[in-house]
Amino acid sequence: MKSYTIKEINDVLKGELIGHTKQQITGPEELKKASNSQITFIGSTKYTKHWADSKACAVIINDNLTLEPRENCAIIKVKNADLAMAKVLELFNPESPEFDVDIHPTAVIHKSATIGNGCKIGANCYVGKDVVLGNNVILYPNVCVFDETNIGDFTIVWSGTVIRERCIIGNHCIFHTNVSIGADGFGYRPSDDGQGLTKIPQIGNVIIGHYVEIGANSCVDRAKFSSTIVGDGCKIDNLVQIAHNSVMGRSCIMAGHSGLAGSVTLGDGVIIGGSASIKDHTTIHSGATVGAGSGVMGDVAAGQTVLGYPAQEAREMLKQWVAMKRLGKS
């Protein structure tokens, strides 16, 4: 079990250390659940009242907060307690699953594939024709990478993920379990005889930038033509749908159960709340935020926050909700 002194932790955080604890710190924990060998954090005045009852031997707090010192207990003041706790979590982060051999004998790798230095390929993986894996790529067991796909250096692909043909994946990406990259986009039209639906071929691909993380069971569909694009630094939660020909800028965030219909464009730094839905051929400009559960039916201006269904500017929507509540009471 890993453990650290309070000084060793503060050497990483470089905060203002108030008080001291002789206790070896064995891990981080929530304020109310922490034991006397654990460190916790407080980022808001809302939680300072719980400090007196916490058993934690150390606490990280925002530098605009004040706590009463306690015997054998240390306080570390930092600019941002959330970011500081992320560094502490990294200290205690368990090692990833180990590979007994770099390439498992049950992995099927086409003779034309190019495998970079330091790659690890787990049991029952499939690597197809003309696939290129950069250096230090990790494919955990039961990953499929189909023909002519390129995966950049240090990318990690967890079990159950399928990456279809001709996709291009950047460096330092993380795909969690059962991600689907490059499945056919959802394209159908009524048949000429009116008796059914005609499938529209989806001949494009998916391009994913560097440092992208995609959560479990999320899908990024290939384009009808050209590419579906996920920009550098985007972070995508579990159970998210990104449809064909959508284009995401840099450092966008999509929370769970949200979805982009076909040919949606996101600027840089767009935030999509959980269970929000974006209509096809819509543009959400840089820095905009879509509230959880919203339905966006038209373009959203840069920096704007929208709420509701259909989504409207947040303050206007809140006014409408208040008015409706008053009407209900009248």
Side-chain angles (χ1 to χ4, degrees), residues 31-322:
L31 186 60
K32 293 181 180 181
K33 296 180 180 179
S35 71
N36 62 2
S37 67
Q38 292 178 310
I39 187 169
T40 190
F41 77 108
I42 298 175
S44 166
T45 54
K46 178 180 176 180
Y47 300 102
T48 55
K49 62 186 178 183
H50 301 299
W51 170 240
D53 298 322
S54 177
K55 295 178 181 178
C57 66
V59 60
I60 301 166
I61 66 171
N62 285 352
D63 56 15
N64 63 338
L65 301 178
T66 301
L67 292 181
E68 288 295 323
R70 298 189 335 212
E71 186 178 353
N72 193 31
C73 188
I75 299 170
I76 300 176
K77 285 194 169 188
V78 295
K79 184 176 181 180
N80 187 314
D82 285 324
L83 294 180
M85 182 53 76
K87 294 180 181 179
V88 172
L89 287 165
E90 190 64 38
L91 287 175
F92 290 97
N93 193 14
E95 297 296 327
S96 296
E98 294 185 0
F99 285 72
D100 292 332
V101 292
D102 285 349
I103 299 179
H104 196 276
T106 62
V108 176
I109 301 173
H110 195 276
K111 62 183 179 181
S112 64
T114 300
I115 309 300
N117 296 326
C119 289
K120 297 181 186 297
I121 301 176
N124 301 311
C125 286
Y126 173 77
V127 178
K129 181 181 177 182
D130 295 325
V131 166
V132 177
L133 302 185
N135 297 326
N136 301 295
V137 171
I138 297 176
L139 306 182
Y140 282 100
N142 301 306
V143 167
C144 291
V145 182
F146 286 93
D147 301 3
E148 300 178 38
T149 286
N150 283 21
I151 299 180
D153 298 346
F154 294 97
T155 285
I156 298 171
V157 184
W158 285 91
S159 297
T161 292
V162 176
I163 303 174
R164 287 276 302 273
E165 57 274 18
R166 303 187 309 280
C167 292
I168 300 172
I169 313 298
N171 303 329
H172 296 276
C173 294
I174 302 172
F175 300 155
H176 292 278
T177 50
N178 300 317
V179 165
S180 171
I181 305 293
D184 286 0
F186 190 68
Y188 298 91
R189 291 293 182 271
S191 59
D192 289 340
D193 61 10
Q195 299 301 307
L197 297 171
T198 298
K199 180 177 173 64
I200 306 299
Q202 308 288 299
I203 66 171
N205 72 341
V206 173
I207 298 175
I208 292 179
H210 306 308
Y211 295 95
V212 172
E213 186 163 0
I214 301 181
N217 298 295
S218 289
C219 302
V220 184
D221 289 347
R222 70 172 54 252
K224 179 164 60 177
F225 33 70
S226 187
S227 302
T228 303
I229 299 174
V230 179
D232 293 350
C234 288
K235 309 301 179 186
I236 296 166
D237 199 357
N238 301 336
L239 297 165
V240 169
Q241 162 69 7
I242 298 171
H244 61 159
N245 289 96
S246 288
V247 176
M248 297 176 64
R250 295 172 298 171
S251 300
C252 296
I253 294 173
M254 292 186 66
H257 290 271
S258 61
L260 307 182
S263 300
V264 168
T265 300
L266 305 186
D268 296 338
V270 171
I271 299 173
I272 307 294
S275 298
S277 301
I278 317 301
K279 181 183 177 294
D280 60 293
H281 297 275
T282 296
T283 297
I284 300 178
H285 293 276
S286 295
T289 297
V290 177
S294 299
V296 176
M297 308 300 287
D299 292 355
V300 177
Q304 190 175 50
T305 298
V306 295
L307 294 172
Y309 196 97
Q312 299 182 48
E313 193 278 327
R315 286 172 296 183
E316 181 62 31
M317 179 56 72
L318 290 171
K319 289 178 184 177
Q320 291 183 28
W321 286 345
V322 169

